[in-house]
């Protein structure tokens, strides 16, 4: 079977004979007349390839304004001399046109040239050769000028390097040229399309790029080091005849300069240097931060929940707020942890025997009293290596705080005792505590004993058990303890005053102290004691049961009488002896401690009709109650 | 919510764009509408004409290839086209010397002459699937609009040759196109589309001053 492809080439494939040959239909002198098939064999019967008689070889127009025709005498060589053959043409403009002779002969070329005046577009011309007595006519020699146009090749070819691949092995070029000068492209009389072909030198196959109407073309993928040859040809838009090829230009790019890698290296080095400088700057400016990150400071020992920095800065407001649990007026959220981590919390165990207030005979001779020297069990002076100070094991970390023993009075001792709740039953721990407290046992001063004698009411707070549970910390810094077996009934104003005085003394001497017992003795300047001026009646039971220590130097201020943390005597005093300590089970949503169910309270010894017995077990303060204590 | 807002916005934009797209070309009476420039109109028309020429060329080539390959694409014997009666300039100089109005009229005459034969060709012949009559019709309307625009701009000043009405042009065709066979039609249409294309280019060069015209 035979196929005709786009390039007007007739391809024949003979299956039997395996013959492949292609016929250029356009350039063939004659077209196949018919196709004959015999079984599988297709035969193409051609007319004689070249006429033996004189004939026209070709007629071509270069710019669609003139054209020329060439003839050949054929076999008849006797007609080869000029003048033997004459060219006649017929211009089919109207029905009555006639044959005319060639307007211009160029015998040297056997060419007939038709100038502008004789050239008409879109009109059929038929050519004829005449000898003296014969006319040689070929029907194929009729044409219209626009169909025989073969434009001239473009001129002024040039190329520029477009880019080079990163590997440096291949590159792209842009080839530019100008249209053929003979073609009037500006007016638009001719619209030319270009076909660029290139090949590597000394190869036979040309690479043809796509036909396009612009005067530049990019060739991609040329190889470095190889030389390439490029030429271009033109054709009319909408027509199929190509002109001749232009003169070739040669493209060669030698080895690409190694500047590229140099550039890369340079850029890389500069980049690294810049980054290093940046890092150095950061390290220098952010030195402190870096030191913090790399070498974090060893955390200083501190009471859980208490910020030493806060106290150092003297921001007592913040501290109060902080101690108040963020303003909830309740226990701080960390309250459970507060107790969980402390080893001495475990001492807070409920003992059935201890609940009874009556059975508190032992408490009378409790460790507290023993420690305080009331029972004259003995006392030891502090000797912990503190210079004139009291060593006091304070917390898990085992650090000791030193107190000035001179300042150490029963009040502070109580404080310490309250901070170290012990269990009377657990003798081992008692002994431990006692041993630890051995250091803090001190002989009561004469003043104290005098006081004790003078003021029997006073040592109410001494009567309490040495081991007491700290149920909460006051916003003022005081510690709220649970009551011991013996509840303080009330405090007289004298007591209050004495306490105030004592506290003043304590304050003055202690204000310079840097203690770890930050709860009690915060050092601060403007520490405002927001404490219980007038506790609400509902909290009748609570205030008196608590022993608080006045830590602040506000004693210096005037109106500090009311700054006494010790609350005013409540209106209603219902005191029910309760256990000193119970186990804190959890913290409920209102930030109150949920404790183990307390023992049934004994009938109140003193009941005032105006009082409403609290549902809350006495001795335990709830957050709201505590909140009421603070202004 | 964001998605819905985006969708609504896109719809609005598309509606606006569509309104712009469907805006009709301004006639002379309308004031303030966006008018196409003469240069732009010429470019569009020339593009359309080039496309028409390409299509006609391809059709003719295909036909010749399957039927009868000829050397110069002339075929056997001369072709008599029904548009031979239309006086057309046969060369570059002739076309350049011709008046603008005359050239425009020739173009319109040619286009007018081909509407019917091509329509008939499309309907009757199964070989030709491309409806070239619509292309010719579009081009003709474009050239008519161009002529009107040139007239309003005062470029067509020759009073003798005004734009002839289509009806007058139609009657000046003595050669009936129904006698032409398919081969002739394809050949003649190819030739005439080339003519139209060349004339339009020359006309543009003369009306719209460009570099080199």
């Amino acid at each position: 079977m035979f196929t005709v492809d786009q390039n007007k080439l007739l391809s024949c494939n003979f299956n039997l004979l395996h013959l492949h040959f292609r016929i250029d239909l356009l350039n063939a002198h004659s077209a196949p007349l018919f196709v004959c098939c015999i079984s599988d064999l297709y035969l193409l019967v051609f007319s004689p390839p070249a006429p033996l008689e004189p004939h026209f070889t070709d007629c071509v127009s270069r710019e669609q304004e003139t054209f020329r025709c060439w003839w050949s005498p054929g076999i008849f060589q006797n007609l080869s001399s000029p003048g033997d053959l004459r060219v006649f043409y017929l211009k089919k403009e109207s029905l009555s046109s006639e044959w005319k002779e060639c307007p211009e002969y160029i015998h040297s070329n056997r060419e007939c040239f038709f100038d502008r005046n004789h050239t008409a577009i879109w009109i059929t011309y038929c050519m004829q050769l005449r000898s003296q007595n014969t006319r040689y006519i070929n029907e194929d020699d009729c044409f219209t000028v626009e169909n025989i146009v073969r434009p001239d090749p473009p001129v002024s070819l040039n190329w520029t390097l477009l880019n080079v691949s990163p590997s440096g092995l291949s590159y792209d070029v842009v080839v530019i040229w100008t249209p053929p000068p003979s073609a009037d492209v500006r007016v638009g009389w001719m619209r030319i399309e270009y076909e660029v072909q290139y090949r590597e030198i000394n190869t036979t196959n040309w690479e043809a790029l796509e036909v396009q109407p612009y005067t530049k073309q990019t060739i991609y993928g040329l190889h470095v080091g190889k030389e390439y040859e490029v030429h271009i040809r033109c054709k009319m838009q909408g027509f199929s005849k190509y002109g001749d090829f232009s003169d070739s230009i040669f493209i060669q790019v030698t080895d690409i300069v190694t500047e590229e890698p140099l550039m890369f290296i340079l850029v890389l080095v500069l980049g690294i240097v810049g980054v290093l400088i940046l890092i150095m700057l950061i390290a220098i400016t952010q030195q402190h931060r870096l030191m913090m990150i790399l070498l974090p400071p060893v955390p200083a020992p501190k009471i859980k929940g208490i910020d030493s920095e806060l106290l150092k800065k003297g921001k007592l407001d913040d501290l109060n707020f902080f101690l108040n649990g963020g303003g909830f007026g309740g226990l701080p959220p960390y309250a459970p942890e507060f107790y969980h981590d402390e080893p001495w919390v475990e001492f807070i165990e409920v003992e059935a025997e201890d609940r009874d207030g009556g059975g508190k005979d032992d408490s009378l001779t409790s460790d507290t009293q023993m420690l305080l020297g009331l029972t004259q069990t003995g006392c030891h002076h502090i000797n912990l290596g503190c210079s004139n100070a009291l060593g006091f094991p304070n917390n898990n970390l085992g650090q000791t705080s030193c107190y000035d023993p001179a300042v150490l009075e029963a009040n502070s001792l109580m404080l310490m005792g309250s901070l170290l709740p012990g269990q009377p039953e657990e003798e081992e721990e008692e002994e431990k505590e006692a041993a630890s407290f051995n250091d803090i046992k001190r002989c009561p001063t004469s003043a104290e004993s005098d006081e004790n004698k003078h003021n029997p009411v006073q040592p109410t707070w001494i009567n309490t058990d040495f081991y007491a549970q700290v149920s909460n910390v006051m916003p003022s810094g005081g510690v709220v303890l649970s009551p011991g077996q013996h509840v303080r009934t009330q405090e007289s104003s004298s007591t209050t005053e004495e306490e105030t005085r004592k506290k003043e003394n304590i304050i003055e001497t202690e204000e310079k102290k840097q203690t770890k017992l930050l709860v009690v003795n915060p050092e601060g300047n403007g520490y405002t004691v927001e404490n219980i001026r007038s506790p609400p009646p509902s909290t009748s039971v609570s205030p008196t049961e608590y022993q608080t220590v006045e830590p602040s130097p506000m004693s210096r201020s005037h109106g500090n009488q009311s700054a006494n943390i010790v609350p005013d005597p409540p209106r209603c005093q219902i005191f029910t002896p309760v256990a000193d300590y119970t186990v804190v089970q959890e913290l409920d949503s209102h930030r109150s401690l949920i404790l183990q169910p307390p023992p049934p309270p004994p009938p109140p010894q003193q009941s005032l009709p105006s009082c409403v017995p609290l549902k809350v077990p006495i001795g335990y303060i709830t957050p709201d109650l505590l909140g009421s204590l603070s202004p | 919510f964001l998605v819905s807002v985006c969708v609504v916005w896109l719809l609005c934009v598309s509606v606006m764009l569509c309104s712009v797209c469907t805006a009709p070309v301004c006639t002379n009476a309308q004031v303030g509408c966006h008018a196409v420039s003469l240069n732009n109109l010429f470019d569009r028309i020339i593009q359309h004409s080039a496309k028409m020429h390409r299509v006609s060329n391809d059709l003719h080539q295909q036909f010749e290839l399957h039927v009868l390959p000829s050397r110069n694409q002339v075929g056997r014997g001369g072709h008599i086209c029904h548009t031979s009666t239309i006086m057309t300039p046969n060369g570059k100089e002739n076309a350049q010397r011709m008046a603008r109005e005359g050239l425009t009229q020739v173009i319109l005459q040619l286009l007018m002459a081909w509407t019917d034969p091509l329509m008939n060709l499309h309907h009757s012949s199964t070989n030709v699937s491309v409806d070239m009559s619509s292309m010719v019709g579009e081009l003709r309307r474009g050239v008519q609009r161009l002529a009107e625009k040139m007239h309003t701009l005062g470029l067509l000043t020759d009073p003798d040759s005004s734009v002839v009405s289509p009806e007058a042009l139609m009657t000046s065709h003595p050669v009936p196109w129904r006698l032409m066979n398919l081969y002739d039609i394809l050949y003649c249409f190819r030739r005439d589309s080339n003519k139209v294309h060349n004339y339009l280019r020359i006309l543009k060069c003369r009306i719209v001053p460009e570099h080199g015209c």
Side-chain angles (χ1 to χ4, degrees):
Chain A
M1 57 174 300
F2 67 96
T3 55
V4 181
D5 60 11
Q6 277 183 341
N7 294 331
K8 312 286 188 309
L9 298 175
L10 195 67
S11 298
C12 306
N13 300 324
F14 292 91
N15 292 332
L16 286 179
L17 300 178
H18 300 287
L19 288 176
H20 296 263
F21 53 93
R22 303 173 74 172
I23 302 155
D24 188 359
L25 285 178
L26 285 177
N27 295 327
H29 291 285
S30 60
L33 285 178
F34 59 91
V35 176
C36 173
C37 62
I38 301 172
S39 69
D40 286 334
L41 205 63
Y42 289 87
L43 291 179
L44 293 169
V45 178
F46 285 88
S47 58
L52 301 173
E53 56 189 14
H55 60 275
F56 284 97
T57 53
D58 205 1
C59 287
V60 168
S61 169
R62 286 169 57 202
E63 71 288 89
Q64 207 176 359
E65 293 173 46
T66 65
F67 71 98
R68 52 194 73 210
C69 287
W70 296 272
W71 76 88
S72 157
I75 295 182
F76 304 139
Q77 293 300 321
N78 54 348
L79 298 173
S80 55
S81 58
D84 292 338
L85 283 171
R86 297 164 70 190
V87 176
F88 282 85
Y89 69 93
L90 179 66
K91 199 171 165 187
K92 293 186 179 178
E93 273 178 308
S94 59
L95 293 171
S96 60
S97 17
E98 52 188 25
W99 291 89
K100 296 177 188 171
E101 194 162 359
C102 172
E104 188 176 337
Y105 280 101
I106 303 175
H107 290 284
S108 56
N109 235 355
R110 293 207 192 101
E111 175 187 309
C112 180
F113 174 70
F114 293 80
D115 59 0
R116 289 165 196 242
N117 300 329
H118 293 94
T119 306
I121 319 296
W122 303 300
I123 290 179
T124 307
Y125 281 83
C126 285
M127 306 303 290
Q128 189 180 77
L129 280 170
R130 293 183 191 175
S131 64
Q132 285 174 346
N133 49 11
T134 335
R135 293 182 180 187
Y136 306 96
I137 296 179
N138 196 342
E139 286 179 346
D140 278 341
D141 293 330
C142 292
F143 54 85
T144 53
V145 177
E146 72 270 13
N147 283 314
I148 59 166
V149 176
R150 292 180 187 267
D152 284 339
V155 295
S156 308
L157 274 73
N158 204 351
W159 68 274
T160 54
L161 184 67
L162 183 65
N163 54 23
V164 184
S165 70
S167 62
L169 295 177
S170 61
Y171 58 96
D172 306 331
V173 297
V174 175
V175 185
I176 53 173
W177 60 90
T178 57
S182 59
D184 195 354
V185 190
R186 299 169 310 148
V187 178
W189 182 240
M190 284 177 70
R191 277 115 15 236
I192 296 181
E193 290 176 337
Y194 305 95
E195 187 192 42
V196 177
Q197 293 184 0
Y198 71 97
R199 69 171 178 185
E200 200 178 321
I201 275 199
N202 298 334
T203 59
T204 54
N205 288 336
W206 287 92
E207 279 289 330
L209 299 177
E210 200 173 336
V211 179
Q212 45 88 29
Y214 308 106
T215 57
K216 69 171 191 172
Q217 176 75 275
T218 309
I219 307 178
Y220 298 100
L222 298 178
H223 298 288
V224 171
K226 294 182 183 175
E227 195 175 2
Y228 292 91
E229 186 183 356
V230 177
H231 63 196
I232 309 173
R233 61 178 182 174
C234 308
K235 80 170 181 70
M236 285 257 289
Q237 235 177 37
F239 296 92
S240 51
K241 289 187 190 277
Y242 278 99
D244 292 331
F245 278 105
S246 65
D247 294 334
S248 296
I249 58 166
F250 298 93
I251 298 173
Q252 186 174 23
V253 175
T254 52
D255 196 15
I256 303 291
V257 189
T258 54
E259 291 169 3
E260 292 290 342
L262 251 181
M263 279 294 295
F264 277 127
I265 290 167
L266 200 65
V267 167
L268 202 65
V269 165
L270 281 174
I272 289 170
V273 166
V275 166
L276 279 173
I277 289 170
L278 200 67
I279 291 171
M280 294 267 295
L281 279 172
I282 289 170
I284 290 166
T285 55
Q286 306 287 335
Q287 204 173 13
H288 297 290
R289 274 202 221 164
L290 280 176
M291 291 300 291
M292 287 290 289
I293 292 164
L294 294 173
L295 304 172
V298 177
K302 61 180 179 181
I303 294 178
K304 274 196 182 293
I306 301 296
D307 188 10
S308 62
E309 294 296 325
L310 208 58
L311 290 173
K312 278 186 206 172
K313 288 176 192 170
K315 297 200 177 152
L316 301 177
D317 290 337
D318 294 339
L319 186 62
N320 277 337
F321 183 78
F322 188 66
L323 291 176
N324 262 343
F328 293 128
L331 289 171
Y334 51 80
E337 292 88 343
F338 191 89
Y339 299 102
H340 287 168
D341 291 341
E342 301 300 325
W344 37 267
V345 174
E346 62 186 357
F347 298 144
I348 307 172
E349 292 285 345
V350 178
E351 293 291 332
E353 306 90 296
D354 280 342
R355 292 178 196 161
D356 229 7
K360 292 292 182 186
D361 288 334
D362 294 336
S363 61
L364 284 171
T365 56
S366 65
D367 295 292
T368 308
Q369 292 161 1
M370 285 164 59
L371 279 171
L372 291 173
L374 295 176
T375 55
Q376 304 295 325
T377 50
C379 54
H380 302 266
H381 283 285
I382 299 98
N383 188 12
L384 266 187
C386 298
S387 60
N388 204 25
L390 175 67
F392 191 77
N394 192 22
N395 51 19
N396 291 351
L397 300 181
Q399 290 188 358
T400 62
S401 319
C402 290
Y403 295 92
D404 194 348
V407 183
L408 208 74
E409 300 197 10
N411 208 3
S412 51
L413 273 181
M414 269 318 300
L415 167 67
M416 288 179 246
S418 66
L419 288 174
L420 294 175
Q423 192 160 6
E425 283 70 23
E426 296 187 10
E427 294 186 347
E428 292 180 0
E429 281 129 357
E430 269 185 16
E431 283 172 344
K432 280 185 199 170
E433 292 293 334
S436 67
F437 285 127
N438 278 338
D439 296 332
I440 59 172
K441 277 185 189 174
R442 60 184 292 276
C443 306
T445 58
S446 56
E448 268 187 1
S449 30
D450 290 339
E451 288 172 358
N452 289 336
K453 292 164 191 170
H454 290 309
N455 201 349
V457 186
Q458 178 197 354
T460 51
W461 49 269
I462 298 176
N463 279 339
T464 55
D465 197 4
F466 185 77
Y467 299 98
Q469 175 188 9
V470 177
S471 53
N472 202 354
V473 180
M474 299 293 294
S476 56
V479 176
V480 177
L481 305 171
S482 67
Q485 266 63 25
H486 302 282
V487 178
R488 299 177 66 171
T489 54
Q490 54 186 346
E491 294 170 328
S492 59
S493 55
S494 60
T495 308
T496 308
E497 287 170 357
E498 286 209 16
E499 284 178 353
T500 310
R501 258 185 273 120
K502 281 187 188 170
K503 281 161 190 172
E504 286 176 4
N505 293 335
I506 294 169
I507 288 159
E508 285 167 1
T509 51
E510 282 187 353
E511 63 182 346
K512 297 172 193 172
K513 281 225 187 320
Q514 185 97 11
T515 66
K516 291 301 177 182
L517 210 59
L518 298 172
V519 175
V520 181
N521 299 317
E523 286 195 358
N525 305 327
Y527 177 71
T528 58
V529 179
E530 315 144 347
N531 55 358
I532 314 97
R533 290 205 176 185
S534 55
S538 61
T539 63
S540 57
V541 181
S542 329
T544 57
E545 320 236 326
Y546 301 93
Q547 300 126 15
T548 60
V549 175
E550 177 65 63
S552 72
M554 268 204 61
S555 56
R556 288 193 231 120
S557 61
H558 315 295
N560 212 16
Q561 297 299 325
S562 60
N564 198 341
I565 295 176
V566 178
D568 297 334
R571 283 192 252 148
C572 178
Q573 302 168 1
I574 296 179
F575 310 106
T576 318
V578 296
D580 287 343
Y581 29 76
T582 59
V583 176
V584 178
Q585 280 183 328
E586 59 182 282
L587 199 65
D588 72 0
S589 59
H590 298 293
R591 297 183 182 276
S592 57
L593 292 177
I594 296 177
L595 309 168
Q596 278 187 356
Q605 296 165 0
Q606 305 172 9
S607 60
L608 298 177
S610 63
C611 289
V612 177
L614 288 177
K615 294 173 188 175
V616 176
I618 299 174
Y620 297 96
I621 194 169
T622 55
D624 50 347
L625 296 179
L626 181 64
S628 65
L629 297 178
S630 58
Chain B
F1 172 68
L2 275 178
V3 169
S4 63
V5 166
C6 284
V7 165
V8 167
W9 181 80
L10 278 173
L11 279 173
C12 289
V13 168
S14 64
V15 163
M16 283 181 350
L17 286 176
C18 281
S19 68
V20 169
C21 290
T22 58
V25 179
C26 304
T27 62
N28 303 329
Q30 290 178 10
V31 179
C33 60
H34 176 66
V36 182
S37 70
L38 201 62
N39 197 5
N40 201 355
L41 192 59
F42 259 116
D43 286 339
R44 288 194 211 178
I45 288 169
I46 286 170
Q47 255 185 356
H48 202 85
S49 150
K51 177 183 161 191
M52 195 175 74
H53 176 56
R54 265 199 312 273
V55 169
S56 68
N57 188 41
D58 287 342
L59 269 178
H60 181 256
Q61 264 184 346
Q62 293 296 319
F63 189 84
E64 263 205 330
L65 220 54
H66 286 109
V67 173
L68 206 62
S70 65
R71 183 180 169 188
N72 291 323
Q73 296 171 321
V74 174
R76 305 288 176 263
H79 297 272
I80 305 297
C81 297
H82 69 289
T83 52
S84 306
T85 55
I86 302 174
M87 299 304 294
T88 58
N90 289 324
K92 186 176 86 172
E93 291 82 8
N94 292 345
Q96 280 177 328
R97 271 189 243 119
M98 199 170 185
R100 289 191 285 247
E101 300 82 358
L103 203 56
T104 314
Q105 192 177 353
V106 161
I107 295 168
L108 281 171
Q109 277 179 324
L110 285 169
L111 292 171
M112 216 82 73
W114 276 105
T115 312
D116 290 333
L118 288 173
M119 202 180 300
N120 182 57
L121 181 73
H122 177 64
H123 289 313
S124 63
S125 170
T126 55
N127 296 330
V128 181
S129 57
V130 179
D131 185 13
M132 288 183 290
S133 64
S134 62
M135 253 191 284
V136 172
E138 276 176 38
L139 192 61
R140 180 173 55 85
R141 279 188 290 274
V143 176
Q144 269 174 338
R145 197 164 289 132
L146 177 75
E148 287 165 11
K149 196 172 181 70
M150 285 198 293
H151 192 71
T152 55
L153 289 174
L155 297 168
L156 302 178
T157 55
D158 191 355
D160 293 336
S161 57
S162 57
V163 178
V164 184
S165 64
E167 292 74 21
L169 289 175
M170 283 299 285
T171 56
S172 63
H173 285 175
V175 179
W177 49 266
R178 292 179 192 280
L179 297 178
M180 294 164 66
N181 56 15
L182 178 64
Y183 191 34
D184 289 335
I185 288 176
L186 290 178
Y187 176 82
C188 292
F189 180 57
R190 177 170 170 264
R191 189 192 73 177
D192 287 343
S193 62
N194 188 229
K195 271 189 188 177
V196 164
H197 192 55
N198 275 33
Y199 294 155
L200 281 170
R201 287 189 83 99
I202 288 173
L203 191 64
K204 182 195 173 185
C205 195
R206 286 170 64 187
I207 299 227
V208 180
E210 274 180 3
H211 170 70
C213 277

